[in-house]
Amino acid sequence: MLTSSTDYKANVYAPVREFKSRVTITMDAFSQIAPYTTTRVFDDNKVMSINIIEEVMITNTTSPANQCIVTLDNTDNLFNFINLGNMGSIIASKPKVVVEFGLVLTDGVTVEWKQMGVFFIEAWRNNKTGMTVEFTCHDWLQVLSNTVFNEVAVVNASTLATAIMVNAGITNYYLDPTLTGFAGNNRKTWSTNSRELLQDIAIVSGCT
């Protein structure tokens, strides 16, 4: 849950207000280029556009996944494969993208940032003129769609969900303690698609 200061709440709906954007990308390939760090932060000087699409599934037939399309200025040729290497290997490494929006507070200097999501690059397109680069990113649920999971012994919904997260390399998550009360044999067959498997757990445990 997002928490906000009193100053933020007072100013977010003001007739005149100023917002800022910030995109943080963590990519192993960055380590090949000075300053040789895997994480780079791009502010309003580099961010051309951000489009976040939140999927809504009112029928609960699948777990909703969110998409983010980020366009950055690339006039410095940072996102050039001559510098970074093979696109396929870069995408396979799941570069992480953190998107934040910030509101400039009353003092005109302080910016209160709100994280809009954590995504992973799944497609990369350089503008023909070389001026911009566009990333299509999805959150972990979409990544789980491409993650195969094979687990024979299912103790309960909680241990199964934990095993799914570990298998996918997800470390930052929260599981409701009540999941331990739902046996794995409540469902005859379990999907091997990790995203569908989480949906199965939701069905078994009565989540909406």
Side-chain angles (χ1 to χ4, degrees), residues 38-119:
T38 58
T39 299
R40 302 284 181 107
V41 179
F42 304 91
D43 58 18
D44 284 335
N45 293 322
K46 286 289 186 179
V47 177
M48 307 299 290
S49 67
I50 299 173
N51 185 15
I52 298 176
I53 302 172
E54 295 189 339
E55 185 178 63
V56 177
M57 188 61 63
I58 60 174
T59 59
N60 289 338
T61 54
T62 188
S63 302
N66 299 329
Q67 180 189 73
C68 178
I69 299 175
V70 177
T71 302
L72 301 178
D73 177 283
N74 192 39
T75 51
D76 59 1
N77 286 316
L78 173 62
F79 296 100
N80 184 319
F81 289 106
I82 295 177
N83 297 327
L84 296 178
N86 180 270
M87 178 188 287
S89 62
I90 292 175
I91 299 299
S93 70
K94 297 187 180 70
K96 183 171 73 172
V97 177
V98 178
V99 175
E100 299 170 284
F101 292 144
L103 174 67
V104 180
L105 300 184
T106 308
D107 62 9
V109 177
T110 305
V111 179
E112 187 167 330
W113 294 97
K114 303 299 179 186
Q115 187 180 109
M116 296 293 103
V118 177
F119 306 90

Coordinates of all heavy atoms in Angstrom, one line a residue, residues 38-119:
T38 N 25.7 -1.9 -12.9 CA 24.5 -2.5 -13.6 C 23.2 -1.8 -13.5 O 22.3 -2.1 -14.1 CB 24.3 -3.9 -12.9 OG1 24.1 -3.8 -11.5 CG2 25.5 -4.8 -13.2
T39 N 23.2 -0.7 -12.7 CA 21.9 0.0 -12.5 C 22.1 1.5 -13.0 O 23.1 2.2 -12.6 CB 21.5 0.0 -11.0 OG1 21.3 -1.3 -10.6 CG2 20.2 0.8 -10.8
R40 N 21.2 1.9 -13.8 CA 21.2 3.3 -14.3 C 19.8 3.9 -14.0 O 18.8 3.3 -14.1 CB 21.4 3.4 -15.8 CG 22.7 2.7 -16.2 CD 23.9 3.5 -16.0 NE 25.1 2.9 -16.4 CZ 25.8 3.3 -17.5 NH1 25.4 4.3 -18.2 NH2 26.9 2.6 -17.8
V41 N 19.8 5.2 -13.6 CA 18.6 6.0 -13.3 C 18.4 7.0 -14.4 O 19.3 7.8 -14.7 CB 18.6 6.6 -11.9 CG1 17.4 7.4 -11.7 CG2 18.9 5.6 -10.8
F42 N 17.2 7.1 -15.0 CA 16.8 8.0 -16.0 C 15.7 8.9 -15.5 O 14.6 8.5 -15.1 CB 16.4 7.3 -17.3 CG 17.4 6.3 -17.8 CD1 17.4 4.9 -17.3 CD2 18.4 6.6 -18.6 CE1 18.3 4.0 -17.7 CE2 19.4 5.7 -19.1 CZ 19.3 4.4 -18.6
D43 N 16.0 10.3 -15.6 CA 15.0 11.2 -15.1 C 14.2 11.9 -16.3 O 14.3 11.4 -17.4 CB 15.6 12.3 -14.2 CG 16.7 13.0 -15.0 OD1 16.8 13.0 -16.2 OD2 17.6 13.7 -14.3
D44 N 13.6 13.0 -16.0 CA 12.8 13.6 -17.0 C 13.6 14.1 -18.3 O 13.0 14.3 -19.3 CB 12.1 14.9 -16.4 CG 10.9 14.4 -15.6 OD1 10.3 13.4 -15.8 OD2 10.5 15.2 -14.7
N45 N 14.9 14.2 -18.1 CA 15.7 14.6 -19.2 C 15.8 13.5 -20.3 O 16.2 13.7 -21.4 CB 17.1 15.0 -18.8 CG 17.1 16.3 -17.9 OD1 16.4 17.2 -18.2 ND2 17.9 16.3 -16.9
K46 N 15.6 12.3 -19.8 CA 15.7 11.1 -20.7 C 14.4 10.4 -21.0 O 14.3 9.7 -22.0 CB 16.7 10.1 -20.1 CG 18.2 10.5 -20.1 CD 18.7 10.4 -21.6 CE 20.2 10.7 -21.7 NZ 20.6 10.5 -23.1
V47 N 13.5 10.5 -20.0 CA 12.2 9.8 -20.2 C 11.3 10.5 -21.2 O 10.9 11.7 -20.9 CB 11.5 9.6 -18.8 CG1 10.1 9.0 -19.0 CG2 12.3 8.8 -17.9
M48 N 11.0 9.9 -22.3 CA 10.1 10.5 -23.3 C 8.6 10.2 -23.0 O 7.8 11.1 -23.2 CB 10.5 10.0 -24.7 CG 12.0 10.2 -25.0 SD 12.5 11.9 -25.0 CE 11.7 12.5 -26.4
S49 N 8.3 9.0 -22.6 CA 7.0 8.6 -22.3 C 6.9 7.3 -21.5 O 7.9 6.5 -21.6 CB 6.1 8.4 -23.6 OG 6.6 7.3 -24.3
I50 N 5.9 7.2 -20.7 CA 5.6 6.0 -19.9 C 4.2 5.6 -20.1 O 3.3 6.5 -19.8 CB 6.0 6.2 -18.4 CG1 7.5 6.5 -18.2 CG2 5.6 4.9 -17.6 CD1 7.8 6.9 -16.8
N51 N 3.9 4.4 -20.4 CA 2.5 4.0 -20.6 C 2.3 2.7 -19.8 O 2.9 1.6 -20.1 CB 2.2 3.7 -22.1 CG 0.7 3.4 -22.3 OD1 -0.1 3.6 -21.4 ND2 0.4 2.9 -23.5
I52 N 1.5 2.7 -18.7 CA 1.3 1.6 -17.9 C -0.1 1.1 -18.1 O -1.1 1.8 -18.0 CB 1.5 1.9 -16.4 CG1 3.0 2.3 -16.1 CG2 1.1 0.7 -15.5 CD1 3.2 2.7 -14.7
I53 N -0.3 -0.2 -18.4 CA -1.6 -0.8 -18.7 C -1.8 -1.9 -17.6 O -1.1 -2.8 -17.5 CB -1.7 -1.5 -20.1 CG1 -1.4 -0.4 -21.2 CG2 -3.0 -2.1 -20.3 CD1 -1.3 -1.0 -22.5
E54 N -2.8 -1.7 -16.8 CA -3.2 -2.6 -15.7 C -4.3 -3.5 -16.2 O -5.4 -3.1 -16.5 CB -3.6 -1.9 -14.4 CG -2.4 -1.1 -13.8 CD -2.8 -0.5 -12.4 OE1 -4.0 -0.4 -12.1 OE2 -1.9 -0.2 -11.7
E55 N -4.0 -4.8 -16.3 CA -5.0 -5.8 -16.7 C -6.0 -6.0 -15.6 O -5.6 -6.2 -14.4 CB -4.3 -7.1 -17.1 CG -5.2 -8.1 -17.7 CD -4.4 -9.3 -18.1 OE1 -3.8 -10.0 -17.3 OE2 -4.4 -9.7 -19.3
V56 N -7.2 -6.1 -16.0 CA -8.3 -6.4 -15.0 C -9.0 -7.7 -15.5 O -9.5 -7.7 -16.7 CB -9.3 -5.2 -14.9 CG1 -10.4 -5.6 -13.9 CG2 -8.6 -4.0 -14.3
M57 N -9.2 -8.7 -14.7 CA -9.9 -9.9 -15.1 C -11.0 -10.1 -14.1 O -10.9 -10.7 -13.0 CB -8.9 -11.1 -15.0 CG -9.5 -12.4 -15.6 SD -9.9 -12.2 -17.3 CE -8.3 -11.9 -18.1
I58 N -12.2 -9.6 -14.4 CA -13.4 -9.6 -13.5 C -13.9 -11.1 -13.4 O -14.6 -11.3 -12.4 CB -14.5 -8.7 -14.0 CG1 -15.0 -9.0 -15.4 CG2 -14.0 -7.2 -13.9 CD1 -16.1 -8.2 -15.8
T59 N -13.6 -12.0 -14.3 CA -14.1 -13.3 -14.2 C -13.2 -14.3 -13.5 O -13.6 -15.4 -13.2 CB -14.4 -13.9 -15.6 OG1 -13.1 -13.9 -16.3 CG2 -15.4 -13.1 -16.4
N60 N -12.1 -13.8 -13.0 CA -11.1 -14.6 -12.3 C -10.6 -15.8 -13.1 O -10.3 -16.8 -12.4 CB -11.7 -15.0 -10.9 CG -11.8 -13.9 -10.0 OD1 -11.1 -12.9 -10.1 ND2 -12.6 -14.0 -9.0
T61 N -10.7 -15.8 -14.4 CA -10.2 -16.9 -15.2 C -8.7 -17.0 -15.2 O -8.1 -18.1 -15.5 CB -10.8 -16.8 -16.6 OG1 -10.4 -15.6 -17.2 CG2 -12.3 -17.0 -16.6
T62 N -8.0 -15.9 -15.0 CA -6.6 -15.9 -14.9 C -6.1 -14.8 -14.1 O -6.8 -13.8 -13.8 CB -5.9 -15.8 -16.4 OG1 -4.5 -16.0 -16.3 CG2 -6.2 -14.4 -16.9
S63 N -4.8 -14.9 -13.6 CA -4.3 -13.9 -12.7 C -3.9 -12.7 -13.6 O -3.1 -12.9 -14.6 CB -3.1 -14.4 -12.0 OG -3.4 -15.5 -11.2
P64 N -4.3 -11.5 -13.3 CA -4.0 -10.3 -14.2 C -2.5 -9.9 -14.1 O -1.9 -10.0 -13.1 CB -4.9 -9.2 -13.7 CG -5.2 -9.6 -12.2 CD -5.2 -11.1 -12.2
A65 N -2.0 -9.6 -15.3 CA -0.6 -9.1 -15.4 C -0.6 -7.7 -16.0 O -1.4 -7.4 -16.8 CB 0.2 -10.1 -16.2
N66 N 0.4 -6.9 -15.5 CA 0.4 -5.5 -16.0 C 1.6 -5.3 -17.0 O 2.6 -6.0 -16.9 CB 0.6 -4.6 -14.8 CG -0.5 -4.7 -13.8 OD1 -1.7 -4.9 -14.2 ND2 -0.2 -4.5 -12.6
Q67 N 1.4 -4.4 -17.9 CA 2.4 -4.1 -18.9 C 2.8 -2.6 -18.8 O 2.0 -1.7 -18.4 CB 1.8 -4.3 -20.3 CG 2.7 -4.0 -21.5 CD 2.0 -4.0 -22.8 OE1 1.3 -3.1 -23.1 NE2 2.3 -5.0 -23.6
C68 N 4.1 -2.4 -19.1 CA 4.6 -1.0 -19.1 C 5.5 -0.8 -20.4 O 6.3 -1.6 -20.7 CB 5.4 -0.8 -17.9 SG 6.2 0.9 -17.8
I69 N 5.2 0.3 -21.1 CA 6.0 0.6 -22.3 C 6.7 1.9 -22.0 O 6.1 2.9 -21.7 CB 5.1 0.8 -23.5 CG1 4.4 -0.5 -23.8 CG2 6.0 1.2 -24.7 CD1 3.4 -0.5 -25.0
V70 N 8.0 1.9 -22.0 CA 8.9 3.0 -21.7 C 9.7 3.4 -22.9 O 10.3 2.6 -23.5 CB 9.9 2.7 -20.5 CG1 10.8 3.9 -20.2 CG2 9.1 2.3 -19.2
T71 N 9.6 4.7 -23.2 CA 10.4 5.3 -24.3 C 11.4 6.2 -23.7 O 11.1 7.2 -23.0 CB 9.6 6.0 -25.3 OG1 8.6 5.1 -25.8 CG2 10.4 6.5 -26.5
L72 N 12.7 6.0 -24.0 CA 13.8 6.8 -23.5 C 14.6 7.5 -24.6 O 14.7 7.0 -25.7 CB 14.8 6.0 -22.7 CG 14.3 5.3 -21.5 CD1 15.4 4.4 -20.9 CD2 13.7 6.2 -20.5
D73 N 15.1 8.7 -24.4 CA 16.0 9.4 -25.3 C 17.3 8.5 -25.4 O 17.9 8.1 -24.4 CB 16.3 10.7 -24.8 CG 17.3 11.5 -25.6 OD1 18.5 11.2 -25.6 OD2 16.9 12.4 -26.4
N74 N 17.7 8.3 -26.6 CA 18.9 7.4 -26.9 C 19.9 8.2 -27.7 O 20.7 7.5 -28.5 CB 18.5 6.1 -27.5 CG 19.6 5.1 -27.5 OD1 20.4 5.0 -26.5 ND2 19.7 4.3 -28.6
T75 N 19.9 9.5 -27.7 CA 20.9 10.2 -28.5 C 22.3 10.0 -28.1 O 23.2 10.3 -28.9 CB 20.5 11.7 -28.5 OG1 20.5 12.2 -27.1 CG2 19.2 12.0 -29.2
D76 N 22.5 9.5 -26.9 CA 23.9 9.2 -26.5 C 24.3 7.8 -26.9 O 25.4 7.3 -26.6 CB 24.1 9.4 -25.0 CG 23.1 8.5 -24.2 OD1 22.3 7.7 -24.8 OD2 23.2 8.6 -22.9
N77 N 23.4 7.0 -27.6 CA 23.7 5.7 -28.0 C 24.0 4.7 -26.9 O 24.7 3.7 -27.1 CB 24.8 5.7 -29.0 CG 24.4 6.2 -30.4 OD1 23.3 5.9 -30.9 ND2 25.2 7.1 -31.0
L78 N 23.5 5.0 -25.7 CA 23.7 4.0 -24.6 C 23.1 2.7 -24.9 O 23.7 1.6 -24.7 CB 23.1 4.6 -23.3 CG 23.1 3.6 -22.1 CD1 24.5 3.3 -21.7 CD2 22.4 4.2 -20.9
F79 N 21.9 2.7 -25.5 CA 21.2 1.4 -25.8 C 21.5 1.0 -27.2 O 20.6 0.9 -28.1 CB 19.7 1.6 -25.6 CG 19.3 1.8 -24.1 CD1 19.1 3.1 -23.7 CD2 19.3 0.8 -23.2 CE1 18.8 3.3 -22.3 CE2 19.0 1.0 -21.9 CZ 18.8 2.3 -21.4
N80 N 22.8 0.8 -27.5 CA 23.3 0.4 -28.8 C 23.9 -1.0 -28.6 O 24.7 -1.2 -27.7 CB 24.3 1.4 -29.3 CG 24.8 1.1 -30.7 OD1 25.1 0.0 -31.0 ND2 25.0 2.1 -31.5
F81 N 23.5 -1.9 -29.4 CA 24.0 -3.3 -29.2 C 25.5 -3.5 -29.6 O 26.0 -4.5 -29.2 CB 23.1 -4.3 -30.0 CG 21.7 -4.4 -29.5 CD1 20.7 -3.8 -30.1 CD2 21.5 -5.1 -28.3 CE1 19.4 -3.9 -29.6 CE2 20.3 -5.2 -27.7 CZ 19.2 -4.6 -28.4
I82 N 26.0 -2.5 -30.2 CA 27.5 -2.5 -30.4 C 28.1 -2.4 -29.0 O 29.2 -3.0 -28.8 CB 27.9 -1.4 -31.4 CG1 27.3 -1.7 -32.8 CG2 29.4 -1.3 -31.4 CD1 27.7 -0.6 -33.8
N83 N 27.5 -1.6 -28.2 CA 28.0 -1.4 -26.8 C 27.6 -2.4 -25.8 O 28.4 -2.9 -25.0 CB 27.5 0.0 -26.3 CG 28.0 1.2 -27.1 OD1 29.1 1.1 -27.6 ND2 27.2 2.2 -27.2
L84 N 26.3 -2.9 -26.0 CA 25.7 -3.7 -24.9 C 25.8 -5.2 -25.3 O 25.8 -6.1 -24.4 CB 24.3 -3.4 -24.7 CG 24.0 -2.0 -24.1 CD1 22.5 -1.7 -24.0 CD2 24.7 -1.8 -22.8
G85 N 25.9 -5.6 -26.5 CA 26.0 -7.0 -26.9 C 24.7 -7.6 -27.5 O 23.8 -6.8 -28.0
N86 N 24.5 -8.9 -27.4 CA 23.4 -9.6 -28.0 C 22.0 -9.3 -27.4 O 21.9 -9.4 -26.1 CB 23.7 -11.1 -28.0 CG 22.6 -11.9 -28.7 OD1 21.6 -12.3 -28.0 ND2 22.7 -12.1 -30.0
M87 N 21.0 -8.9 -28.2 CA 19.7 -8.6 -27.6 C 19.1 -9.8 -26.9 O 18.5 -9.7 -25.8 CB 18.8 -8.1 -28.7 CG 17.4 -7.8 -28.2 SD 16.2 -7.4 -29.5 CE 16.7 -5.8 -30.0
G88 N 19.2 -11.0 -27.6 CA 18.6 -12.2 -27.0 C 19.1 -12.5 -25.6 O 18.3 -12.8 -24.7
S89 N 20.4 -12.4 -25.4 CA 21.0 -12.7 -24.1 C 20.6 -11.6 -23.1 O 20.4 -11.9 -21.9 CB 22.5 -12.8 -24.2 OG 23.1 -11.6 -24.6
I90 N 20.4 -10.4 -23.5 CA 20.1 -9.3 -22.6 C 18.6 -9.5 -22.1 O 18.3 -9.4 -20.9 CB 20.2 -7.9 -23.3 CG1 21.7 -7.6 -23.5 CG2 19.5 -6.8 -22.4 CD1 21.9 -6.3 -24.3
I91 N 17.7 -9.8 -23.1 CA 16.3 -10.0 -22.7 C 16.2 -11.3 -21.8 O 15.4 -11.3 -20.8 CB 15.4 -10.2 -24.0 CG1 15.5 -9.0 -24.9 CG2 14.0 -10.6 -23.6 CD1 15.0 -7.7 -24.2
A92 N 17.0 -12.3 -22.1 CA 16.9 -13.5 -21.3 C 17.3 -13.3 -19.9 O 16.9 -14.0 -18.9 CB 17.8 -14.6 -21.9
S93 N 18.1 -12.3 -19.6 CA 18.6 -12.0 -18.3 C 17.6 -11.2 -17.4 O 17.8 -10.9 -16.3 CB 19.9 -11.1 -18.3 OG 19.6 -9.8 -18.8
K94 N 16.4 -10.9 -18.0 CA 15.3 -10.3 -17.4 C 15.7 -8.9 -16.7 O 15.7 -8.7 -15.5 CB 14.7 -11.1 -16.3 CG 14.1 -12.4 -16.8 CD 13.3 -13.1 -15.6 CE 12.7 -14.4 -16.1 NZ 13.7 -15.5 -16.4
P95 N 16.1 -7.9 -17.5 CA 16.5 -6.6 -17.0 C 15.3 -6.0 -16.2 O 14.1 -6.1 -16.7 CB 16.8 -5.8 -18.2 CG 17.2 -6.8 -19.3 CD 16.3 -8.0 -19.0
K96 N 15.5 -5.5 -15.1 CA 14.5 -5.0 -14.2 C 14.3 -3.5 -14.4 O 15.2 -2.7 -14.5 CB 14.8 -5.3 -12.7 CG 13.7 -4.8 -11.8 CD 13.9 -5.3 -10.4 CE 15.0 -4.5 -9.7 NZ 15.2 -4.8 -8.2
V97 N 13.0 -3.1 -14.5 CA 12.6 -1.7 -14.7 C 11.7 -1.3 -13.6 O 10.6 -1.9 -13.3 CB 11.9 -1.5 -16.0 CG1 11.5 0.0 -16.2 CG2 12.8 -1.9 -17.2
V98 N 12.1 -0.3 -12.8 CA 11.3 0.3 -11.7 C 10.8 1.7 -12.2 O 11.6 2.5 -12.5 CB 12.1 0.4 -10.4 CG1 11.2 1.1 -9.3 CG2 12.6 -0.9 -10.0
V99 N 9.5 1.9 -12.2 CA 8.9 3.1 -12.7 C 8.4 3.9 -11.5 O 7.6 3.3 -10.6 CB 7.8 2.9 -13.7 CG1 7.1 4.2 -14.1 CG2 8.3 2.2 -14.9
E100 N 8.7 5.2 -11.4 CA 8.2 6.0 -10.3 C 7.7 7.4 -10.8 O 8.3 7.9 -11.8 CB 9.4 6.3 -9.3 CG 9.9 5.1 -8.6 CD 11.2 5.4 -7.8 OE1 12.3 5.6 -8.5 OE2 11.1 5.5 -6.6
F101 N 6.7 7.9 -10.2 CA 6.2 9.2 -10.4 C 6.4 10.0 -9.1 O 6.1 9.5 -8.1 CB 4.8 9.3 -10.9 CG 4.5 8.6 -12.3 CD1 3.4 7.9 -12.5 CD2 5.5 8.8 -13.3 CE1 3.2 7.3 -13.8 CE2 5.3 8.2 -14.5 CZ 4.1 7.5 -14.8
G102 N 6.8 11.3 -9.3 CA 7.0 12.1 -8.1 C 6.2 13.4 -8.2 O 6.1 14.0 -9.2
L103 N 5.7 13.9 -7.0 CA 5.0 15.2 -6.9 C 6.0 16.1 -6.2 O 6.5 15.9 -5.2 CB 3.8 15.0 -6.1 CG 3.0 16.3 -5.8 CD1 2.4 16.9 -7.1 CD2 1.9 16.0 -4.8
V104 N 6.2 17.3 -6.9 CA 7.0 18.4 -6.2 C 6.1 19.0 -5.2 O 5.0 19.5 -5.4 CB 7.4 19.4 -7.3 CG1 8.2 20.5 -6.6 CG2 8.2 18.8 -8.4
L105 N 6.6 19.0 -3.9 CA 5.9 19.5 -2.8 C 5.9 21.1 -2.7 O 6.5 21.7 -3.6 CB 6.4 18.9 -1.5 CG 6.3 17.3 -1.5 CD1 6.7 16.8 -0.1 CD2 4.9 16.9 -1.8
T106 N 5.3 21.6 -1.7 CA 5.1 23.0 -1.5 C 6.4 23.8 -1.6 O 6.4 25.0 -2.1 CB 4.4 23.3 -0.2 OG1 3.2 22.5 -0.1 CG2 3.9 24.8 -0.1
D107 N 7.4 23.3 -1.1 CA 8.7 24.1 -1.0 C 9.3 24.2 -2.4 O 10.3 25.0 -2.6 CB 9.7 23.5 -0.1 CG 10.1 22.1 -0.5 OD1 9.8 21.6 -1.6 OD2 10.8 21.4 0.4
G108 N 8.8 23.5 -3.4 CA 9.3 23.7 -4.8 C 10.5 22.9 -5.1 O 11.1 22.9 -6.2
V109 N 11.0 22.2 -4.0 CA 12.3 21.5 -4.2 C 12.1 20.0 -3.9 O 12.6 19.1 -4.7 CB 13.4 22.0 -3.2 CG1 14.7 21.2 -3.3 CG2 13.6 23.5 -3.5
T110 N 11.5 19.7 -2.8 CA 11.3 18.3 -2.4 C 10.3 17.6 -3.3 O 9.3 18.1 -3.7 CB 10.7 18.2 -0.9 OG1 11.5 19.0 -0.1 CG2 10.6 16.8 -0.5
V111 N 10.7 16.3 -3.7 CA 9.9 15.5 -4.6 C 9.5 14.2 -3.8 O 10.4 13.5 -3.3 CB 10.6 15.1 -5.9 CG1 9.7 14.2 -6.7 CG2 11.0 16.4 -6.6
E112 N 8.3 14.0 -3.7 CA 7.8 12.7 -3.0 C 7.5 11.7 -4.1 O 6.6 11.9 -4.9 CB 6.6 13.0 -2.1 CG 6.2 11.8 -1.3 CD 5.2 12.1 -0.2 OE1 5.2 13.3 0.3 OE2 4.4 11.3 0.2
W113 N 8.3 10.6 -4.1 CA 8.2 9.6 -5.1 C 7.2 8.5 -4.8 O 7.2 8.1 -3.6 CB 9.6 9.0 -5.5 CG 10.5 10.0 -6.1 CD1 11.5 10.8 -5.4 CD2 10.6 10.4 -7.4 NE1 12.1 11.6 -6.3 CE2 11.6 11.4 -7.5 CE3 9.9 10.1 -8.6 CZ2 12.0 12.0 -8.8 CZ3 10.2 10.6 -9.8 CH2 11.2 11.6 -9.9
K114 N 6.5 8.0 -5.8 CA 5.6 6.8 -5.6 C 6.0 5.8 -6.7 O 6.0 6.1 -7.9 CB 4.1 7.2 -5.8 CG 3.7 8.3 -4.8 CD 3.8 7.9 -3.4 CE 3.3 9.1 -2.5 NZ 3.6 8.8 -1.0
Q115 N 6.3 4.6 -6.2 CA 6.6 3.5 -7.2 C 5.3 3.0 -7.9 O 4.3 2.6 -7.2 CB 7.3 2.4 -6.4 CG 7.8 1.3 -7.4 CD 8.5 0.1 -6.6 OE1 8.0 -1.0 -6.6 NE2 9.6 0.4 -6.0
M116 N 5.3 3.0 -9.2 CA 4.2 2.6 -10.0 C 4.3 1.1 -10.4 O 3.3 0.5 -10.9 CB 4.1 3.4 -11.2 CG 3.8 4.9 -11.0 SD 2.2 5.2 -10.3 CE 2.6 5.5 -8.6
G117 N 5.4 0.5 -10.1 CA 5.5 -1.0 -10.4 C 6.9 -1.4 -10.7 O 7.8 -0.5 -11.0
V118 N 7.2 -2.7 -10.7 CA 8.4 -3.3 -11.0 C 8.2 -4.2 -12.2 O 7.3 -5.1 -12.2 CB 9.0 -4.1 -9.9 CG1 10.3 -4.8 -10.3 CG2 9.3 -3.2 -8.7
F119 N 8.9 -4.0 -13.3 CA 8.6 -4.7 -14.5 C 9.9 -5.3 -15.1 O 11.0 -5.0 -14.6 CB 8.0 -3.8 -15.6 CG 6.8 -3.1 -15.1 CD1 6.9 -1.8 -14.5 CD2 5.5 -3.6 -15.3 CE1 5.8 -1.1 -14.1 CE2 4.4 -2.9 -14.9 CZ 4.5 -1.7 -14.3

